[in-house]
Amino acid sequence: MLSYIAYLPGIWAYYVAQNQSVTKAFIWVYIPTLLLLPDYYRAITPGLPDPSFNQSASVALFAVFVMKGSPGYKFSLTDLLVGFYAFSVSFSEFLASGYADAQNLMFFELTSVMFPYIFAKSLIEPFNLRYDFAKSVVLCLAFVFVMNLFENKFGYNLWQAYLGMFFPGQGLGWITTFRFGLARAAGPYGHCLLDGVIMAVGYRLQRWLQWSDAWPAKMKQLAWVPWFSPAQIFTLMIFGGVLTTLGKGQWLAGIVAAGITIIGRSKQRVAAMTAVIAVMVFIGLPLLLAFLSYASVGRKNAKDDNQETAAYRYELVTEYMDVASERLWWGWGLMKWPEVPGFESIDNHFLLTYLNHGVIALTLLLAIMLGMMVRLIIHGMSRPMTEPKGSSLAFSLAAIFLMYFIAVATVAMMNQSCTLFFIIVGLSDAYLRLSTWDGDQGGDKTRVEPDNRKFKFRKVL
């Protein structure tokens, strides 16, 4: 019964959506629930799927969203890609395990992939709430950063320590590891590397907010730090959040992805893109070849922990490709593939998807990730320069997709990191379809909230 507290965000989301608006419920109830409450705690409900905090909010919000006529929603081809991806994952698990064992994964694909994607494409851009959405993400992650500092120092995860009392026997069992003499902070996400991916998304959104002058020049709540503007304070906090996870793969992904934002901030975009591509070809390619040589020595011949980790990930792919190809189309089912001795975890989301759900799901995921990134870059290059410089949302979103592509090659895209990815997909789809303004150039930035009046009378003089 204690686990039923996971239903509280659903009740709150339903109340706000019914009495105020579905947009406010999404941005100020669902997003904080997603980013501040763990996804690995669930309400154990006999005979039904077991929802997490954000899944209960997702179901409640979707119910009101449909009852109010699906405000802001318009069909697009991306819907088919995301829908087929969620179906392929669910169907592969059904084939492997049957409905009784597959229902929770099916429920996850519905409430943590499809619903959030639909919310993001319907409730942000159509109502010009991109700033509100990004600020909600940044404020939540600034709070997580503060908690991460505590975890770094004491090796003590506050979410698992206190929320865990309501969910006996649940949790991922993540054991805190240390690097550079500090605990690697996992926050409410179950793993330090997932925390790093989510923080990297927040950092890109915050930099875009800062470049867009979206934060006020002063905030009373931050007056005790007179040396920095609110935008600078949030940037430092989210950057600090990235550092607290001590994940080198996520750091590298963020650095590489920043190259796309350099193009967006340049007045000579074609020249900037040429320079970035040249760096990737003439510097990145040799570095990649050097890394492959560095990683292919085998764990037994590794000279230090870093090389051993790289060798493990290299061997992981080579050892499991044959296993994955045995069930090419639909995979083995969630964590049901035959384990190769010596490989305790699959630290590569693309390989994990291939093993679990087959080449169809993997192809759809890559099509969504890379296709959306290319579309955003093309869209950004086709638009005039924005003012303030760097306020084009296209390049920041494209950078997030590149960051995801690199980062999840070193960690599984689980829990909130998966849901946040599909929220970014939904936002990007609506942005590409509807964007009539970028930065301060053109278009109408007036916010239009859904009309939630029960009785809609015309005013006649």
Side-chain angles (χ1 to χ4, degrees):
M1 290 294 291
L2 289 176
S3 68
Y4 284 4
I5 66 167
Y7 285 110
L8 293 179
I11 297 171
W12 182 238
Y14 184 88
Y15 176 82
V16 173
Q18 279 282 31
N19 292 279
Q20 296 187 39
S21 70
V22 286
T23 55
K24 288 182 179 178
F26 172 65
I27 291 173
W28 299 112
V29 179
Y30 178 77
I31 292 297
T33 300
L34 177 72
L35 297 177
L36 296 178
L37 294 173
D39 202 37
Y40 47 80
Y41 291 136
R42 300 177 177 278
I44 305 302
T45 311
L48 295 174
D50 305 322
S52 64
F53 290 101
N54 69 75
Q55 286 171 342
S56 72
S58 176
V59 171
L61 182 57
F62 188 76
V64 181
F65 176 76
V66 172
M67 285 189 289
K68 291 187 179 293
S70 304
Y73 175 78
K74 187 174 182 180
F75 174 79
S76 67
L77 292 178
T78 310
D79 297 7
L80 294 179
L81 277 177
V82 176
F84 283 141
Y85 168 78
F87 170 79
S88 67
V89 169
S90 302
F91 186 65
S92 75
E93 189 63 18
F94 172 75
L95 291 177
S97 307
Y99 177 77
D101 291 335
Q103 64 173 347
N104 277 325
L105 181 58
M106 295 176 179
F107 185 70
F108 177 88
E109 292 301 315
L110 188 65
T111 59
S112 296
V113 172
M114 283 304 302
F115 289 177
Y117 162 77
I118 292 171
F119 297 152
K121 73 171 291 181
S122 306
L123 302 176
I124 301 175
E125 280 297 294
F127 302 105
N128 290 336
L129 294 174
R130 58 173 73 163
Y131 290 151
D132 296 65
F133 164 75
K135 287 179 179 180
S136 179
V137 172
V138 168
L139 290 171
C140 291
L141 295 183
F143 177 80
V144 174
F145 160 69
V146 176
M147 299 297 103
N148 280 0
L149 290 177
F150 182 91
E151 190 172 354
N152 282 150
K153 176 65 176 176
F154 300 104
Y156 189 72
N157 188 285
L158 296 171
W159 281 274
Q160 293 181 3
Y162 293 102
L163 268 180
M165 295 186 295
F166 295 91
F167 302 90
Q170 295 190 46
L172 295 179
W174 164 247
I175 299 174
T176 301
T177 58
F178 292 80
R179 179 173 284 172
F180 311 129
L182 296 171
R184 304 176 69 184
Y189 310 120
H191 197 294
C192 60
L193 299 183
L194 300 181
D195 194 342
V197 170
I198 292 170
M199 283 291 179
V201 174
Y203 181 75
R204 286 269 61 95
L205 291 176
Q206 166 51 27
R207 290 295 281 164
W208 169 72
L209 286 172
Q210 184 177 6
W211 292 330
S212 302
D213 292 335
W215 292 105
K218 293 182 180 180
M219 294 176 64
K220 291 189 295 182
Q221 298 88 340
L222 300 175
W224 54 279
V225 189
W227 311 283
F228 300 103
S229 68
Q232 291 172 326
I233 292 171
F234 287 125
T235 295
L236 290 172
M237 292 181 77
I238 306 303
F239 181 70
V242 175
L243 296 180
T244 60
T245 65
L246 302 175
K248 290 179 286 187
Q250 287 65 45
W251 297 349
L252 174 64
I255 292 169
V256 174
I260 293 180
T261 62
I262 291 173
I263 299 170
R265 287 175 56 79
S266 174
K267 291 184 178 180
Q268 302 294 329
R269 287 179 177 172
V270 175
M273 175 168 278
T274 303
V276 169
I277 293 174
V279 168
M280 292 175 64
V281 172
F282 295 109
I283 297 179
L285 189 58
L287 285 176
L288 176 61
L289 295 175
F291 173 78
L292 292 176
S293 176
Y294 173 79
S296 61
V297 299
R299 283 180 285 174
K300 293 181 180 179
N301 300 319
K303 296 179 180 179
D304 52 37
D305 290 342
N306 290 328
Q307 190 171 22
E308 184 178 359
T309 300
Y312 175 85
R313 288 189 165 95
Y314 181 87
E315 292 177 6
L316 188 70
V317 176
T318 58
E319 291 290 335
Y320 270 107
M321 287 302 289
D322 289 339
V323 175
S325 63
E326 290 180 26
R327 297 194 178 181
L328 179 67
W329 298 109
W330 298 109
W332 292 86
L334 193 62
M335 310 303 286
K336 291 182 175 64
W337 24 263
E339 183 177 341
V340 176
F343 295 92
E344 298 81 11
S345 62
I346 307 296
D347 298 335
N348 183 319
H349 187 71
F350 302 119
L351 176 60
L352 187 63
T353 301
Y354 188 21
L355 283 166
N356 283 336
H357 308 299
V359 72
I360 295 176
L362 176 60
T363 301
L364 289 167
L365 177 63
L366 288 171
I368 293 167
M369 191 177 291
L370 298 179
M372 195 61 75
M373 181 180 71
V374 171
R375 289 175 61 197
L376 285 163
I377 292 174
I378 292 173
H379 178 85
M381 294 291 289
S382 68
R383 301 296 293 270
M385 281 295 300
T386 57
E387 290 296 338
K389 189 170 65 173
S391 59
S392 171
L393 185 58
F395 293 99
S396 292
L397 292 174
I400 290 174
F401 283 108
L402 180 58
M403 183 279 300
Y404 258 105
F405 179 75
I406 298 171
V408 302
T410 65
V411 66
M413 189 171 72
M414 304 184 300
N415 300 344
Q416 292 103 311
S417 67
C418 177
T419 303
L420 185 58
F421 171 78
F422 284 99
I423 287 174
I424 298 299
V425 172
L427 170 60
S428 301
D429 179 72
Y431 168 78
L432 289 167
R433 182 169 50 87
L434 295 175
S435 61
T436 57
W437 62 276
D438 218 348
D440 284 338
Q441 283 204 352
D444 181 10
K445 294 193 288 184
T446 305
R447 296 178 181 178
V448 182
E449 292 285 344
D451 190 348
N452 291 326
R453 293 174 297 164
K454 293 182 179 179
F455 304 101
K456 302 177 183 179
F457 296 109
R458 294 175 59 191
K459 294 181 180 179
V460 180
L461 180 62

